[in-house]
Amino acid sequence: MGKELRLILGDQLNYQHSWFSEPDPEVVFLLMEMRQETDYVTHHVQKVVAFFSAMRSFSRFLAEGGHRCMYLTLDDPANAQSLTQNLDWIISREGFTAFRYLLPDEFRLDKQLHDYCKKLGIPSQVEDTEHFITDRSFLQTFFAGKKTYLMESFYRELRKHYQVLVNGDQPIGDRWNFDVENREAIAAVSEVPEGKGFANDVADLLQLLDSSGVNTIGSVPATGLDWPIDRRQSLESLHYFCEELLPHFGKYQDAMHTESIYLYHSKLSFALNTKMLSPMEVIRKVESLWRQRPQAYPLAGIEGFIRQILGWREYMRGVYWATMPEYAERNYFGHTAKLPSFFWTGDTKMNCLKHAIKQSLECAYAHHIQRLMITGNFALLAGVHPDEVDRWYLGIYIDAIEWVEITNTRGMSQFADGGLVGTKPYVSSANYISKMSNYCGTCFYKKDKKTGANACPFNSLYWAFYERNRPLLEKNPRIGFVYRTLDRMQNKQELLQQAEMYLASLDDC
């Protein structure tokens, strides 16, 4: 019997995978830290050290379980810093006679390994990661012949198929979607728990990145990395969220506040996207808590949380595999502007963007409304090229892997796909931001002013966005009222001139 090499990528840390059910002396597992992965965009330093820490923890888990494991560190002299070049010399040096890998979740890695195996001189095989609820092709098959992919119908199908919050084929509570009840602002945050922290020591990894010359953004707190890096910590995070945060999550899931970064959000996305947690185990745990203690867990919040995982997460992955690589080129509005320089510093007079960006640089985190309705909203109103927006989101957030980032950014946030994911652009004036946060109260700009000195840029940019994109949007039935309102405005030209002033000097906003 020959030796078999099995590759594990950094986001394939599934402790429950069948590969690891029992050790096989003829199987060697391989994990690698590579510049290929640290350098394809400029990543947040917490993202890089979190991935490396989680990979090293996983390697220890394999060794403790009796598995044979090779771990190639970033500074290993033999490390060619390329996935395929490293595979070449490892397979040759060790005399492996077979190669297996798990389905990558990024198109670039999927293609790289597929092309590599076609030229490989030993037998190869690819297997499922045993993580996602649907397979790659499910969404495309489900929406065969459709011009748009309606998430709600996809979500309902999965609810019924997997019997999640249903009685037979009908939703518990007689409604599939409680989103309208999950949009409250939060006035005071004194009762919000501090959150579950870990203070993982990553000093050696920070030194490694520095000595290797890896370029990163952001910083790591002096107390250590606050994100889970193994299965045990991931389960602790899940338990903490369920017991301390979930009862209030739904009501305030769209809220934003200057004095609370995480509010009642779960911070489970990194553990999920590296596969340390399974989406179905999270869904089943949350659902079971509601069934055991319905008085403590409002159904609207439970449904809202489950929709994020069973609905949006699976849906976005399906869209990714149904549309790549063409999806990465879509630019429906033909936007060309550069990302303002303050996206890398947070140094802007707009209080909402200052908080969302500085928080992102500090924690490698922002919740979905901050990403969609603050940073994404401004980028869309400002006409920033989707490539610029993609690179920023992919780099700055700890949970950003392309399959989930690009569909949310280029699709949901920037409407660059022309409506495949979202039925309308998600843009707003200052009114929405003021309603859902306390950002506007201490801002340099005045939320109620549309023109003149200190007028909030969101106000004029909002109307200018719709005016310049009238040929593309006017017939959209969801936003016809916007054009009716715009055409009745007596100060329309003044508004558009105000917007032009801001667009001409975005860095100064």
Side-chain angles (χ1 to χ4, degrees):
M1 181 183 294
K3 288 198 303 182
E4 180 175 280
L5 181 65
R6 297 187 185 181
L7 174 67
I8 303 170
L9 298 174
D11 64 344
Q12 296 178 336
L13 312 180
N14 184 353
Y15 285 70
Q16 299 172 301
H17 196 280
S18 58
W19 268 9
F20 316 123
S21 57
E22 58 182 50
D24 183 336
E26 297 302 316
V27 170
V28 177
F29 293 105
L30 171 65
L31 293 96
M32 298 183 284
E33 300 168 357
M34 297 175 292
R35 293 296 295 267
Q36 170 185 309
E37 297 305 295
T38 62
D39 295 4
Y40 67 91
V41 294
T42 304
H43 296 284
H44 198 293
V45 65
Q46 290 188 42
K47 182 180 182 182
V48 180
V49 297
F51 267 95
F52 284 4
S53 294
M55 290 164 63
R56 292 182 178 196
S57 296
F58 195 77
S59 176
R60 290 191 292 272
F61 156 77
L62 292 176
E64 291 166 0
H67 299 280
R68 299 177 64 191
C69 184
M70 291 181 62
Y71 193 97
L72 196 63
T73 59
L74 193 70
D75 58 351
D76 189 309
N79 192 338
Q81 308 300 339
S82 159
L83 175 61
T84 53
Q85 289 180 43
N86 281 339
L87 287 173
D88 275 341
W89 70 257
I90 289 171
I91 289 172
S92 174
R93 188 188 72 179
E94 302 296 326
F96 287 108
T97 56
F99 173 63
R100 290 194 197 188
Y101 67 98
L102 298 174
L103 279 171
D105 291 318
E106 290 196 329
F107 182 85
R108 65 184 178 87
L109 291 170
D110 187 67
K111 186 177 187 304
Q112 185 181 21
L113 283 166
H114 179 266
D115 292 347
Y116 177 75
C117 287
K118 286 196 296 186
K119 302 175 183 178
L120 192 58
I122 59 175
S124 63
Q125 184 175 337
V126 59
E127 298 182 20
D128 194 80
T129 58
E130 301 175 6
H131 173 80
F132 291 98
I133 297 166
T134 57
D135 63 38
R136 282 182 177 182
S137 62
F138 177 81
L139 179 138
Q140 189 170 21
T141 302
F142 184 75
F143 289 112
K146 304 292 185 182
K147 292 183 179 180
T148 58
Y149 298 158
L150 186 63
M151 195 282 287
E152 186 68 23
S153 58
F154 173 86
Y155 169 58
R156 292 183 187 186
E157 176 67 17
L158 295 188
R159 286 267 299 274
K160 288 184 283 189
H161 182 81
Y162 291 99
Q163 290 292 287
V164 177
L165 292 179
V166 294
N167 286 320
D169 63 352
Q170 294 302 309
I172 289 175
D174 297 322
R175 286 160 55 192
W176 291 103
N177 188 315
F178 289 83
D179 194 39
V180 70
E181 297 178 24
N182 294 330
R183 299 174 180 170
E184 292 191 27
I186 188 167
V189 297
S190 57
E191 295 183 5
V192 177
E194 290 187 6
K196 179 68 177 177
F198 295 102
N200 290 303
D201 185 0
V202 291
D204 57 337
L205 286 172
L206 292 174
Q207 176 59 41
L208 173 65
L209 298 184
D210 182 62
S211 62
S212 300
V214 176
N215 185 35
T216 60
I217 56 176
S219 59
V220 176
T223 52
L225 184 70
D226 193 32
W227 295 88
I229 59 170
D230 57 27
R231 171 79 173 162
R232 178 185 62 80
Q233 289 186 354
S234 298
L235 288 172
E236 287 179 12
S237 293
L238 175 59
H239 177 77
Y240 182 85
F241 168 67
C242 288
E243 294 299 321
E244 303 295 333
L245 306 175
L246 181 57
H248 306 285
F249 164 79
K251 182 187 294 186
Y252 301 121
Q253 67 173 294
D254 287 2
M256 299 169 284
H257 200 283
T258 56
E259 296 176 20
S260 180
I261 293 173
Y262 302 109
L263 290 172
Y264 294 100
H265 288 268
S266 70
K267 290 181 63 182
L268 295 177
S269 54
F270 177 72
L272 277 165
N273 291 356
T274 52
K275 303 178 180 55
M276 295 187 291
L277 288 178
S278 138
M280 191 53 82
E281 78 175 318
V282 175
I283 290 167
R284 295 301 188 200
K285 181 176 179 63
V286 167
E287 182 183 21
S288 68
L289 283 171
W290 174 79
R291 292 186 182 277
Q292 294 164 20
R293 291 182 280 163
Q295 71 285 353
Y297 295 94
L299 179 59
I302 295 296
E303 186 277 319
F305 180 75
I306 287 176
R307 184 171 1 108
Q308 288 189 354
I309 299 176
L310 184 63
W312 274 112
R313 189 171 186 267
E314 292 290 321
Y315 170 78
M316 288 301 190
R317 175 176 178 260
V319 170
Y320 181 80
W321 287 109
T323 60
M324 285 294 285
E326 294 80 11
Y327 198 84
E329 303 299 323
R330 296 192 180 190
N331 186 359
Y332 183 65
F333 296 117
H335 284 167
T336 59
K338 292 287 187 182
L339 198 68
S341 59
F342 59 73
F343 268 72
W344 305 102
T345 64
D347 296 331
T348 169
K349 297 188 289 292
M350 290 176 284
N351 206 34
C352 58
L353 281 160
K354 179 176 69 176
H355 275 277
I357 293 170
K358 284 186 178 293
Q359 167 189 310
S360 300
L361 290 168
E362 178 184 342
C363 305
Y365 170 87
H367 72 62
H368 64 286
I369 295 298
Q370 292 171 312
R371 300 188 201 194
L372 179 65
M373 299 308 299
I374 303 297
T375 51
N377 184 11
F378 186 83
L380 181 52
L381 295 179
V384 176
H385 196 295
D387 287 353
E388 295 259 317
V389 186
D390 276 339
R391 283 192 290 268
W392 187 79
Y393 278 95
L394 187 58
I396 200 166
Y397 292 120
I398 196 165
D399 54 13
I401 302 171
E402 190 186 58
W403 66 266
V404 69
E405 175 276 324
I406 198 170
T407 44
N408 273 288
T409 300
R410 195 171 288 253
M412 182 88 173
S413 172
Q414 299 303 293
F415 205 76
D417 64 4
L420 181 68
V421 167
T423 55
K424 67 172 184 176
Y426 280 86
V427 290
S428 80
S429 64
N431 182 56
Y432 175 85
I433 298 169
S434 175
K435 176 183 175 183
M436 296 307 302
S437 75
N438 71 334
Y439 291 150
C440 299
T442 55
C443 187
F444 170 84
Y445 295 105
K446 305 304 179 185
K447 64 181 177 65
D448 296 323
K449 288 193 68 176
K450 296 180 175 61
T451 60
N454 300 83
C456 177
F458 278 92
N459 291 332
S460 57
L461 291 176
Y462 173 81
W463 294 109
F465 166 81
Y466 277 113
E467 178 63 19
R468 71 174 178 269
N469 292 304
R470 185 184 287 263
L472 296 173
L473 297 175
E474 191 170 23
K475 294 182 180 179
N476 186 317
R478 293 200 64 192
I479 52 179
F481 73 95
V482 173
Y483 287 101
R484 291 191 294 272
T485 303
L486 179 60
D487 290 340
R488 289 196 302 266
M489 286 183 171
Q490 295 183 352
N491 65 337
K492 175 179 172 179
Q493 289 307 314
E494 188 180 354
L495 262 175
L496 299 180
Q497 290 171 6
Q498 183 86 17
E500 286 302 313
M501 181 189 70
Y502 285 136
L503 290 171
S505 54
L506 287 174
D507 286 346
D508 298 327
C509 285

